[in-house]
Structures are given as C-alpha cells and as structure tokens.
Amino acid sequence: MKTIMVKASKTYPVFIDSNLICNAGTFIKDNVTPKPAKVALFCDDKVEPFYADVVEKSLKDSGFETYRFIFKNGESQKHMGTIIQMIEFLAQNDFTRKDLAVALGGGVTGDMTGFSAAIFKRGIRFVQIPTTLLAMVDSSVGGKTGCNLSAGKNLAGAFYQPELVICDTNGLETVDDKDFSCGLA
Ligand SMILES: NC(=O)c1ccc[n+]([C@@H]2O[C@H](COP(=O)([O-])OP(=O)(O)OC[C@H]3O[C@@H](n4cnc5c(N)ncnc54)[C@H](O)[C@@H]3O)[C@@H](O)[C@H]2O)c1
C-alpha cells in the first residue's frame, strides 16, 4: 500500500491500493481520533449498489454506529437543495461535532459531503473514499468543497480538509469509459 501525506492546513494521509474499502472501518478507527461514535455514509444511487454495503459492514465491524444517505447521481444534483437534505439528515440523527461524515463516490459526492461537513455545527470531521479516477487524483485532496448555484458552477463552498483519503483502485473497475477518461485528462 502506498501512503502519501498531504500537508495542507492540516496533515492527513492518502492510502492507495486495491482492496482497501473492505477495511475502511479500520483505517478510520486508526486515523480519526478521538474516535467518532456515529458515521454518516453519503453516496449516490449509482455507487451505492457496488460499494455501500461493504463499506458500511466494515464501519459496523469497527464499532461505529452507521447511517446512510443516498441521493440521485449526477452533476445536476450538486446544489444547495441536496446540501440542505444532507445537513438535515445529520441533525435528525443527532450527529454531534465528535461524529464523522464519509463521502463514498465521485467528485460530486466528495464536494457536497465535504461542504456539508464544513457547515454542519460549524464543522464536523469527514473522510473521502473516492470512486472515480478524477476524484482519486484530484477532487478528494486539497480541501475544495462546495456545490453549484443557479448562476454557475462551484459558486458556494468552503476550504475544508478531510481526515484521511482511502483510494481503492478496485473501485475503478465499475466506472464507465467516459467517466474514467475524465480523470485521465
Ligand atoms: N474539489 C475539487 O478540488 C475538485 C476538482 C475537480 C473536480 N471537482 C468536481 O468533481 C465533480 C466531477 O467528479 P466526477 O467526474 O467524479 O463526477 P461524479 O461524482 O458525478 O461521478 C461521475 C459518475 O460516475 C458514477 N460513479 C462514481 N464512481 C463510480 C464507480 N466506482 N463505479 C460506477 N460508477 C461510478 C457517479 O454515480 C456519476 O454518475 C464536479 O462536480 C467537479 O466540480 C472537484
């Protein structure tokens, strides 16, 4: 496994290898301190059937209480309406500032989960599990989070760094050719 330490406003690891998401809970337990009690898994409806169960099982096996929020996939969903649903979901499930959000998906999921984590209760911790090549090599790292407004793309947002990034290269097997090539360009 390759580990890259990102030095931004805080320092955090990016883990890169195959077969990592089945151990997502262990990576989180070992790298997020103090340990969160609750974990909210944010995922779109295209990624969920491939990867959500395995990540959630790993989180439960590591002792986390898990909650799952699914939204429709695609750039058209990257707006304030979805962000509000995400933070309402955290509030309805009594998440505190000690708890954790996990983004499981492409850049849309990562940007919106990070932004929700940045603004909920003025900031809770979050973890990126990118599942597209673009998200693995670009959007999951660097802390740019946000969503689109009617006037244009990425007009609302915050700089907010994750606690860690888990890049499981097996996830790329299910990405279609168009989305895979987005990450190459
Ligand atoms: N924060 C940053 O620094 C940064 C940098 C570059 C791009 N971005 C943002 O990233 C977004 C684009 O990211 P993207 O291309 O990952 O888009 P995306 O998240 O919409 O994913 C593209 C499509 O692939 C599907 N998908 C994701 N992972 C999959 C998998 N493993 N198997 C099958 N299908 C999968 C998704 O459901 C979606 O339909 C844009 O909103 C862009 O603004 C952010």
Side-chain angles (χ1 to χ4, degrees):
M1 181 179 74
K2 186 162 185 168
T3 304
I4 296 171
M5 296 307 293
V6 176
K7 292 181 181 145
S9 53
K10 69 179 176 203
T11 300
Y12 55 93
V14 180
F15 299 114
I16 307 166
D17 206 345
S18 54
N19 300 313
L20 294 187
I21 61 166
C22 53
N23 295 313
T26 307
F27 284 111
I28 290 170
K29 194 168 67 176
D30 292 349
N31 290 280
V32 181
T33 49
K35 188 184 172 194
K38 297 180 179 183
V39 179
L41 185 61
F42 290 101
C43 185
D44 75 32
D45 61 354
K46 197 164 165 191
V47 170
E48 183 193 27
F50 294 120
Y51 307 112
D53 285 350
V54 64
V55 171
E56 195 171 73
K57 180 180 182 311
S58 167
L59 291 166
K60 284 185 196 298
D61 289 348
S62 293
F64 298 108
E65 195 179 317
T66 63
Y67 298 78
R68 192 188 291 196
F69 181 91
I70 308 301
F71 58 94
K72 196 166 161 355
N73 76 90
E75 183 71 27
S76 64
Q77 305 304 310
K78 192 178 163 184
H79 54 69
M80 286 304 267
T82 311
I83 298 290
I84 288 167
Q85 288 176 16
M86 288 172 148
I87 58 178
E88 287 282 3
F89 178 79
L90 294 171
Q92 281 157 14
N93 288 294
D94 297 321
F95 271 61
T96 72
R97 295 196 70 230
K98 293 181 183 160
D99 294 321
L100 184 78
V102 171
L104 174 66
V108 167
T109 303
D111 281 11
M112 288 203 295
T113 303
F115 187 34
S116 297
I119 62 176
F120 181 71
K121 296 196 172 175
R122 301 186 183 87
I124 66 168
R125 297 169 294 175
F126 88 111
V127 167
Q128 291 268 21
I129 307 182
T131 62
T132 62
L133 187 58
L134 181 146
M136 289 183 192
V137 303
D138 188 351
S139 63
S140 65
V141 171
K144 284 195 278 176
T145 73
C147 70
N148 305 328
L149 299 181
S150 310
K153 201 164 149 47
N154 294 329
L155 292 183
F159 287 100
Y160 199 63
Q161 305 292 341
E163 299 298 303
L164 67 144
V165 181
I166 302 168
C167 287
D168 185 337
T169 51
N170 287 131
L172 298 172
E173 285 167 13
T174 53
V175 178
D176 64 29
D177 290 348
K178 178 179 150 290
D179 286 314
F180 186 76
S181 52
C182 278
L184 295 175

